């Protein structure tokens, strides 16, 4: 395969079930549906951790979160790394060395201070986790375009559990036309870079990797009326997991439900909030459509691979939760993943893959080897229709948000085990309980599955060098035989 340009599109906190190509019969997402129809839709695509900074740092470095050390978002940092270590590999370095144009527009959130400019990429560091409504660049763009400033009405808040007043902002009506939104601003900035890169490509053959990362559909859902009212709440089904009782599950989940005041909203209110979330997805899809149309207009379509994914999912009421947090449900760990490479077959792929795999995939598209070390593997064999030997499970990790909280998860085609050192562990039979409502970890009939999955998780953490294995060595049911030598000296002590 000859080297390709790459247009990389990413959203934040994006549920798989909001997209038509993943089965939503109501939400309108023609741009991404069309991309999936021409490319590979990955049906078992997972984030390595369901929180922004660690997931994005894993994409950028090709390393598991425990290895790169950016374990939490900077805004909630309790002592973890704030920036990628200088000795770690980063995606930009080999591409720039190979002569690629490389640009980044939109959400960065890989560390606190270092943005794309630090890594010699074209683009501006827009810091923070949420839409930069008051960033000077955006406000200057609004004035240049003659657009009205940011303003919101009819804001929807939760209720703070401590009775101190209103809780989190969840949604609101944006008093701007779609042309004035941050989403349109980011698309405009991406188009500016794309047009320059197209000239370089046609004039000298210089290739590019260009990323556009939107901040949405992460809450709060602040969108214009056109999208706020796009979907009839009566056509929105409530998540089946709203029947959650938290029985037999870690108490932190119930506490997180209180923190987000999920039960403050009744069924009708939740249907409206989910409908607004879908509207946000469609608004971003419309901006994606602008970029895909530009690829064709600029004569780049046959020379450019396009990737779409998200850093993680969102609850939007599922399991009586909102946002994300210390609960390793499919709602926030399974993410959309679409890869369209010119000449590759249109297909759906059922193998387990992760966000980390996109790092060596981009490098291989550029004709470059994966960096060392790298915890991912290129997806191009799968995209090209090959069926190589592939892992039949996925292992993910979590280190906390708002407070430290360690979890590890292993999921295969039927079962999911969540190891919670602080609390009760979780085991779900996804064939009989697809909504993960019933924790069968202590059920006698699942004892064999529990031990087998625990042992597999332990062995994978040990292989990776994830320090979480040291707790499992003595505290988990990993069968008979000596626990792992966690200090490296046990064999020398009689």
């Amino acid at each position: 395969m000859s080297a390709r340009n790459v247009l990389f599109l990413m959203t934040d906190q994006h549920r798989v079930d909001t997209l038509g190509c993943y089965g939503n019969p109501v939400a309108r997402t023609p741009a991404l549906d069309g991309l999936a129809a021409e490319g590979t839709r990955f049906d078992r695509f997972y984030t390595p951790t369901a929180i922004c900074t660690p997931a994005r740092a894993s994409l950028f470095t090709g390393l598991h979160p425990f290895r790169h050390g950016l374990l939490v978002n900077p805004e909630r940092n309790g002592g973890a790394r704030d920036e990628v270590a200088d000795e770690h590999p980063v995606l930009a370095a080999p591409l720039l060395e190979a002569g690629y144009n490389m640009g980044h527009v939109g959400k960065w959130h890989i560390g606190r201070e270092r943005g794309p400019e630090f890594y010699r990429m074209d683009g501006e560091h827009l810091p923070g986790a949420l839409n930069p409504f008051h960033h000077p660049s955006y406000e200057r763009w609004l004035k240049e375009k003659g657009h009205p400033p940011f303003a919101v009405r009819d804001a929807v808040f939760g209720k703070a559990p401590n009775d101190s007043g209103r809780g989190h902002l969840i949604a609101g009506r944006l008093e701007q036309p779609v042309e004035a939104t941050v989403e349109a601003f980011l698309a405009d900035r991406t188009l500016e870079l794309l047009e320059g890169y197209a000239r370089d490509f046609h004039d000298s053959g210089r290739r590019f990797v260009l990323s556009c990362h939107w901040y949405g559909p992460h809450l709060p859902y602040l969108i214009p009326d056109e999208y706020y009212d796009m979907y009839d709440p009566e056509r929105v089904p409530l998540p089946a997991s709203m029947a959650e009782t938290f029985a037999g599950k870690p108490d932190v989940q119930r506490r997180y439900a209180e923190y987000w005041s999920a039960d403050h909203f009744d069924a009708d209110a939740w249907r409206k909030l989910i409908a607004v979330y879908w509207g946000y997805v469609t608004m971003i899809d419309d901006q994606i459509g602008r970029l895909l149309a530009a690829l064709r207009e600029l004569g780049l379509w046959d020379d450019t691979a396009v990737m779409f994914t998200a850093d993680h999912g969102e609850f939007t009421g599922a399991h009586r939760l909102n946002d994300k947090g210390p609960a390793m449900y499919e709602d926030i760990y399974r993410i959309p993943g679409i890869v369209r490479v010119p000449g590759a077959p249109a297909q759906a792929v059922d193998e387990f893959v992760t966000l980390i795999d996109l790092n060596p995939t981009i490098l291989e598209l550029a004709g470059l080897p994966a960096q060392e070390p790298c915890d991912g593997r290129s997806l191009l064999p799968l995209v090209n229709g090959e069926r190589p030997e592939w892992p039949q499970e996925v292992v993910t990790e979590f280190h906390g948000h708002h407070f430290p909280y360690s979890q590890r998860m292993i999921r295969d085609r039927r079962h999911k085990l969540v190891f919670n050192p602080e609390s009760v562990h979780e085991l779900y039979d996804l064939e009989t309980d697809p909504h993960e409502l019933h924790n069968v970890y202590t059920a006698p009939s699942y004892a064999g599955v529990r031990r087998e999955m625990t042992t597999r998780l332990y062995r994978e953490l040990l292989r990776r060098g994830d320090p979480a294995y040291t707790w499992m060595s003595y505290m988990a049911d990993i069968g008979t035989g000596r626990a792992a030598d966690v200090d490296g000296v046990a064999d020398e002590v009689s």
Side-chain angles (χ1 to χ4, degrees):
M1 179 182 293
S2 60
R4 301 286 188 182
N5 303 311
V6 178
L7 178 64
F8 189 93
L9 309 173
M10 193 174 199
T11 50
D12 190 354
Q13 217 154 290
H14 196 154
R15 292 183 63 96
V16 171
D17 60 10
T18 60
L19 302 177
C21 57
Y22 280 99
N24 191 310
V26 177
R28 184 181 67 80
T29 52
L32 290 173
D33 295 349
L35 189 67
E38 291 191 36
T40 297
R41 185 194 73 217
F42 287 96
D43 288 343
R44 297 185 188 271
F45 202 100
Y46 283 79
T47 183
T49 184
I51 185 169
C52 303
T53 292
R56 291 167 183 272
S58 285
L59 171 66
F60 194 49
T61 64
L63 301 175
H64 296 303
F66 82 87
R67 203 184 308 280
H68 61 62
L70 278 73
L71 303 181
V72 295
N73 290 348
E75 297 83 5
R76 301 288 186 269
N77 200 337
R81 290 196 64 89
D82 259 357
E83 307 287 355
V84 175
D86 292 338
E87 66 269 20
H88 285 334
V90 294
L91 184 60
L95 289 163
L96 290 168
E97 186 176 346
Y100 266 66
N101 276 317
M102 191 163 187
H104 179 96
V105 175
K107 182 167 181 173
W108 179 254
H109 215 203
I110 303 173
R112 189 185 298 272
E113 302 295 337
R114 296 178 176 180
E117 312 99 314
F118 178 86
Y119 298 100
R120 298 187 295 116
M121 300 164 65
D122 300 322
E124 180 180 23
H125 186 200
L126 300 176
L130 303 176
N131 263 339
F133 292 114
H134 300 296
H135 192 279
S137 290
Y138 174 60
E139 293 187 329
R140 185 166 54 249
W141 176 82
L142 288 176
K143 291 180 180 178
E144 291 171 355
K145 298 288 186 179
H147 293 316
F150 167 76
V152 174
R153 73 178 194 281
D154 300 338
V156 178
F157 290 91
K159 186 179 185 303
N162 62 8
D163 293 326
S164 62
R166 68 189 186 189
H168 295 282
L169 174 63
I170 307 298
R173 294 179 180 273
L174 190 61
E175 295 190 308
Q176 293 173 301
V178 64
E179 295 81 11
T181 60
V182 170
E183 288 71 26
F185 164 68
L186 298 180
D188 275 8
R189 288 288 185 261
T190 305
L191 287 170
E192 291 171 7
L193 284 175
L194 186 60
E195 289 167 1
Y197 291 171
R199 286 193 295 271
D200 278 357
F201 175 69
H202 292 307
D203 291 346
S204 65
R206 186 180 184 186
R207 296 191 177 276
F208 65 84
V209 173
L210 175 59
S211 299
C212 182
H213 291 209
W214 286 275
Y215 291 76
H218 191 299
L219 55 74
Y221 322 133
L222 307 179
I223 57 177
D225 288 345
E226 172 188 352
Y227 293 95
Y228 201 95
D229 297 318
M230 179 169 281
Y231 297 109
D232 182 356
E234 293 299 318
R235 299 188 66 192
V236 175
L238 293 177
S241 62
M242 273 191 172
E244 181 66 78
T245 66
F246 303 119
K249 298 189 177 186
D251 195 52
V252 68
Q253 296 184 23
R254 179 184 60 81
R255 295 292 287 164
Y256 243 72
E258 294 172 358
Y259 175 78
W260 279 103
S261 59
D263 294 341
H264 173 70
F265 303 103
D266 63 17
D268 289 341
W270 266 120
R271 285 191 177 91
K272 179 60 181 177
L273 288 173
I274 295 170
V276 175
Y277 179 68
W278 289 4
Y280 201 169
V281 170
T282 296
M283 187 172 81
I284 293 174
D285 186 87
D286 287 343
Q287 299 303 316
I288 290 173
R290 294 177 62 202
L291 302 185
L292 299 184
L295 280 183
R296 292 182 170 90
E297 293 164 4
L298 294 168
L300 297 170
W301 188 249
D302 293 333
D303 295 285
T304 304
V306 182
M307 299 180 180
F308 169 77
T309 189
D311 55 359
H312 54 81
E314 179 164 301
F315 280 118
T316 56
H319 291 278
R320 291 166 53 196
L321 297 167
N322 212 359
D323 195 57
K324 67 273 185 187
M328 304 186 90
Y329 294 119
E330 295 289 286
D331 307 88
I332 59 173
Y333 275 84
R334 181 174 171 240
I335 55 177
I338 301 170
V339 178
R340 182 260 179 190
V341 175
Q347 59 182 334
V349 169
D350 197 42
E351 303 292 354
F352 286 102
V353 299
T354 78
L355 200 59
I356 299 174
D357 296 323
L358 293 180
N359 179 294
T361 303
I362 292 171
L363 291 175
E364 187 174 357
L365 281 167
L368 300 172
Q371 298 181 91
E372 293 295 338
C374 180
D375 293 323
R377 58 191 299 181
S378 173
L379 301 179
L380 283 192
L382 296 176
V383 171
N384 289 330
E386 302 169 25
R387 291 298 174 262
E389 185 176 343
W390 206 266
Q392 294 301 300
E393 61 194 24
V394 64
V395 172
T396 64
E397 59 190 90
F398 184 71
H399 300 271
H401 183 45
H402 304 105
F403 49 82
Y405 190 86
S406 182
Q407 295 178 291
R408 300 295 186 272
M409 179 263 278
I410 183 170
R411 189 242 198 263
D412 62 21
R413 293 182 179 274
R414 176 162 179 174
H415 298 102
K416 174 189 288 189
L417 174 79
V418 181
F419 194 80
N420 300 304
E422 168 275 340
S423 185
V424 298
H425 306 308
E426 299 164 80
L427 177 64
Y428 300 103
D429 185 334
L430 300 172
E431 183 176 293
T432 62
D433 178 29
H435 305 295
E436 303 172 276
L437 287 169
H438 307 291
N439 180 11
V440 297
Y441 185 83
T442 60
S445 59
Y446 283 89
V449 173
R450 179 182 68 232
R451 170 171 285 189
E452 191 242 346
M453 295 203 73
T454 301
T455 302
R456 281 161 50 199
L457 175 61
Y458 167 74
R459 289 174 177 168
E460 176 58 19
L461 297 182
L462 182 62
R463 184 194 69 80
R464 294 181 178 188
D466 183 338
Y469 85 85
T470 62
W471 181 263
M472 294 186 72
S473 295
Y474 295 99
M475 299 299 291
D477 182 11
I478 55 175
T480 59
R482 187 175 65 82
D485 174 11
V486 299
D487 296 318
V489 297
D491 288 338
E492 302 176 22
V493 179
S494 60

